Amino acid sequence: MQVIDYHIHTGESFIGDKNPHAAGTWEEYLKTGKEKGVIPGNSNHAPHYFGRKDGKNIHPEEKEIIRSDKNWEYCMEQNLNFREQNKQVQFGLEIDFFEDVTAEEYIEAVETGYLNFKKKSLKTPLDYLIFSNHFVFGRVFDHTQEGYLMAKEEAGNDLAKMIQGYWENMLKTTIMAEEIIKKTRTKKIIIGHFDLIKIISLFEKRKIDVHEGFKGI
């Protein structure tokens, strides 16, 4: 039986991020995977190809550091080269669900936009997409305590409303994924971390930055 871990990121994707949630290189992941009988999924966070007019879905540091053109193109080049050299490796991207982005816009991005911000054609079809929801009411709620509190404020400090908003977004993500896969060259779409909702209880109980000191996933 072939085991694939699709949801893998590398430290190169988070250069300069004060709370990096990945470390290591593809070569290290492949070596460890071979030892454990697991094939790594060569995935990476896609840039925020879309931006809300009110700017709510953009981290302050994101444009300059985390997903700048230069770093994104470098990471994509590393990903593609790595798959060419290791044919058994799967190649994919993790993209964010935004409440105000249509399926048609996602389809255009998947087919022509995600190689870089200049809409160059992605000649190599993706083996898969991870379609994830990191936003509630337009705020990134899972990364820092500050972001979580901003999302909570958007929900009127109503935890029940916030949780309902999360699950509504997850349902929309699943429905939209079906439409995207029908109209793109993507072979499969994986809905990312259904258990992300548990972070709400972590923030409420611990009142800490959940990624502080975290070295990888």
Side-chain angles (χ1 to χ4, degrees):
M1 179 180 177
Q2 188 178 70
V3 178
I4 302 174
D5 185 345
Y6 293 102
H7 201 153
I8 294 177
H9 310 305
T10 65
E12 296 162 332
S13 304
F14 302 94
I15 296 173
D17 187 354
K18 63 181 180 180
N19 288 312
H21 66 263
T25 65
W26 287 120
E27 288 74 17
E28 291 170 333
Y29 277 113
L30 181 60
K31 180 181 178 181
T32 301
K34 286 180 177 179
E35 294 172 353
K36 298 182 179 298
V38 178
I39 296 173
N42 191 336
S43 63
N44 189 29
H45 276 290
H48 283 170
Y49 184 81
F50 314 101
R52 290 172 60 119
K53 293 180 180 179
D54 59 15
K56 287 183 178 179
N57 61 11
I58 301 298
H59 289 290
E61 71 272 21
E62 184 171 76
K63 294 179 183 178
E64 301 298 326
I65 300 175
I66 300 178
R67 320 217 208 296
S68 64
D69 273 329
K70 186 176 181 180
N71 192 46
W72 170 246
E73 291 183 8
Y74 170 76
C75 288
M76 287 296 289
E77 183 178 356
Q78 295 296 309
N79 289 1
L80 290 168
N81 289 340
F82 184 69
R83 189 177 75 161
E84 287 302 310
Q85 296 167 10
N86 303 277
K87 299 297 184 181
Q88 77 272 36
V89 171
Q90 298 282 299
F91 175 63
L93 293 174
E94 181 177 10
I95 62 175
D96 284 319
F97 169 78
F98 296 130
E99 296 154 319
D100 59 345
V101 176
T102 66
E104 288 72 25
E105 289 172 316
Y106 276 116
I107 289 166
E108 178 187 0
V110 170
E111 286 297 283
T112 65
Y114 276 133
L115 182 57
N116 57 36
F117 295 135
K118 299 174 184 177
K119 293 190 177 182
K120 292 180 181 178
S121 176
L122 183 60
K123 297 179 180 179
T124 304
L126 298 167
D127 292 315
Y128 65 94
L129 287 176
I130 301 173
F131 202 14
S132 299
N133 173 42
H134 297 96
F135 293 81
V136 176
F137 301 108
R139 298 289 188 180
V140 183
F141 76 99
D142 68 318
H143 191 56
T144 65
Q145 179 77 17
E146 179 184 11
Y148 170 74
L149 292 175
M150 293 172 73
K152 187 176 177 181
E153 183 179 358
E154 291 286 340
N157 292 313
D158 185 339
L159 280 180
K161 183 177 179 181
M162 190 172 180
I163 293 170
Q164 180 179 348
Y166 170 84
W167 288 117
E168 286 178 352
N169 280 357
M170 289 301 295
L171 178 59
K172 294 174 184 175
T173 301
T174 304
I175 293 172
M176 191 174 289
E178 294 180 358
E179 188 170 351
I180 293 171
I181 201 167
K182 290 177 182 177
K183 298 180 180 179
T184 67
R185 296 173 294 167
T186 304
K187 298 175 183 177
K188 65 172 70 74
I189 294 182
I190 300 162
I191 305 301
H193 34 61
F194 275 91
D195 63 345
L196 197 60
I197 191 70
K198 67 187 179 184
I199 282 182
I200 290 179
S201 64
L202 291 178
F203 278 126
E204 286 295 316
K205 292 178 180 179
R206 301 183 186 180
K207 306 295 184 184
I208 62 170
D209 191 336
V210 294
H211 288 305
E212 185 177 353
F214 199 47
K215 300 301 182 183
I217 57 175

